[in-house]
Amino acid sequence: MEQQSRTLRLSADRAEEIQTAGNLLKSGGLVAIPTETVYGLAANALDGRAVAAIFAAKGRPMDNPLIVHISQLDQWAALVSEIPPRAMELANRFWPGPLTIILPKSPLIPDEVSAGQATVAVRFPSHPVARAVIDAAGVPLAAPSANLSGSPSPTEAQHVLADLDGRIDAVLDGGPCRVGVESTVVTLAQEVPRLLRPGGITPEQLSQVLGRVEVDPAVMNPLAAGEKVLSPGMKYKHYSPKANVILVKGNLSAYLEYVNSRAEEGVFALCYDGEQEALRVPAVAYGAKQDAAGQARHLFDALRKLDQMGAKVVYARSPQPKGVGLAVYNRLIRAAGFEVVELG
Ligand code: AMP
Ligand code: MG
């Protein structure tokens, strides 16, 4: 699709503007919509041409498949070859919500959505505006995060505009996102379920329903060159601000000593709440140390703020990779391009 000259600003507070978003989507347009995870860049999932325009607008590699969003559980069956009992159990427990389930796809799914995979990722979001837009469009919506490929995901409408103004038809402003990191992705297209991307639903929660769940090595570690991945999204540089982020592991006093001894122009800190005062460099906090959900909600906004403030180098306090913290760690270590400093 040709580039749009103007991106319409719509408000989710007005029912007729949600309908406008639905109409744009119905006619093959691209609309950024709020969900409980991050803002999604939506298109009609059953229209290969509309879906191709998502890749163009984001600069997304064509081999990175998209998640299809539904607003009713009964829309799922048409998108997949079959729904095994364990998939239905997962859906009953966690949908609507921040969980994406991968199954073998049905012929309805255009190749652009699945990007060459035999599977399709589906999510039933809980955000009332996301569901209202899907209803208004009357079709399932393919929607990756509504940012330029590689940059931090958008958790507010203004983040979407910072990246995509003029490249998409509209953005529907529904306020800040509650979860703040993308959905948990689990594949059931193999015998042992596998976590491909951590998110708001934790591995422990998945295991309560599924029993054994493998965690894909790419969740925590960099891929070896040429290694084949189940989730193509994991092989790309991701969630990265312009600044060079370095993840610092160690206790608070070691962190302070390390960062303070490197204070100079362009050096910034990404720390926990309440730690700014002890730092001799400008600092942005991304949540309280023990509050992984709060960290998830604020991380991407914090990364964008650091760029706006002119950060060149960012020393980031490493989150605890447990529970929802696993998702925070997964995003931050990618933002850092796996550059880690271990103190003592
Ligand atoms: P995003 O929409 O930007 O949140 O990215 C969607 C994520 O889901 C990417 O990491 C994709 O690689 C992953 N994904 C989507 N569909 C599939 C699929 N069929 N198989 C494996 N991973 C998928
Ligand atoms: Mg993304």
Side-chain angles (χ1 to χ4, degrees):
M1 192 168 70
E2 77 275 17
Q3 287 208 350
Q4 306 294 312
S5 56
R6 233 186 96 65
T7 295
L8 204 59
R9 275 77 160 158
L10 301 170
S11 167
D13 293 337
R14 302 167 68 96
E16 65 271 27
E17 301 197 359
I18 292 180
Q19 189 57 53
T20 302
N23 293 342
L24 283 167
L25 289 162
K26 220 181 281 186
S27 57
L30 299 186
V31 181
I33 64 169
T35 82
E36 69 275 25
T37 58
V38 302
Y39 274 74
L41 180 57
N44 177 356
L46 307 181
D47 176 349
R49 273 188 59 166
V51 171
I54 293 178
F55 288 85
K58 281 181 57 93
R60 183 176 175 101
M62 290 300 291
D63 68 347
N64 193 2
L66 305 181
I67 295 168
V68 178
H69 296 71
I70 58 177
S71 56
Q72 306 284 336
L73 193 57
D74 64 14
Q75 294 162 353
W76 193 15
L79 306 175
V80 294
S81 66
E82 86 174 291
I83 301 175
R86 63 183 185 176
M88 197 48 93
E89 281 169 47
L90 261 194
N92 286 335
R93 176 77 179 271
F94 298 114
W95 280 359
L99 175 68
T100 295
I101 302 174
I102 295 177
L103 287 170
K105 68 174 190 163
S106 84
L108 260 190
I109 299 296
D111 289 337
E112 288 84 353
V113 169
S114 47
Q117 312 269 336
T119 53
V120 64
V122 177
R123 184 164 95 85
F124 179 178
S126 66
H127 198 299
V129 175
R131 292 161 64 172
V133 177
I134 301 167
D135 286 342
V139 286
L141 299 177
S145 52
N147 52 299
L148 283 174
S149 198
S151 76
S153 296
T155 55
E156 295 177 24
Q158 66 179 43
H159 298 161
V160 176
L161 288 167
D163 277 17
L164 298 177
D165 195 9
R167 302 175 70 91
I168 62 176
D169 293 292
V171 57
L172 181 60
D173 190 343
C177 301
R178 178 176 60 80
V179 178
V181 292
E182 302 84 346
S183 59
T184 300
V185 177
V186 65
T187 181
L188 299 180
Q190 53 181 52
E191 199 173 301
V192 181
R194 178 178 283 233
L195 177 76
L196 299 183
R197 180 175 73 185
I201 303 297
T202 65
E204 297 75 24
Q205 286 176 298
L206 294 177
S207 292
Q208 284 166 15
V209 176
L210 296 172
R212 178 162 164 236
V213 177
E214 294 173 349
V215 176
D216 198 276
V219 167
M220 297 291 283
N221 302 302
L223 292 161
E227 192 174 338
K228 197 172 166 337
V229 274
L230 276 175
S231 182
M234 291 194 291
K235 74 181 177 213
Y236 295 109
K237 183 171 152 76
H238 231 131
Y239 319 117
S240 287
K242 295 184 187 72
N244 177 27
V245 178
I246 297 154
L247 201 61
V248 182
K249 295 186 176 178
N251 62 29
L252 176 60
S253 60
Y255 174 76
L256 293 174
E257 193 187 315
Y258 183 84
V259 177
N260 286 340
S261 69
R262 284 165 178 75
E264 60 174 279
E265 187 67 30
V267 172
F268 282 62
L270 178 62
C271 62
Y272 294 135
D273 292 353
E275 295 176 353
Q276 292 104 314
E277 294 70 32
L279 283 156
R280 270 183 248 130
V281 302
V284 174
Y286 71 105
K289 185 177 181 196
Q290 304 299 343
D291 178 14
Q295 294 166 19
R297 194 152 51 239
H298 297 119
L299 177 66
F300 288 135
D301 182 53
L303 291 173
R304 283 178 181 265
K305 271 205 186 98
L306 285 158
D307 271 347
Q308 279 166 12
M309 292 165 73
K312 298 284 174 282
V313 175
V314 174
Y315 292 110
R317 274 277 253 159
S318 184
Q320 291 302 310
K322 281 183 298 210
V324 176
L326 182 65
V328 181
Y329 181 89
N330 169 274
R331 304 312 188 274
L332 200 43
I333 197 154
R334 281 177 167 69
F338 291 94
E339 195 175 345
V340 178
V341 172
E342 308 237 16
L343 303 174

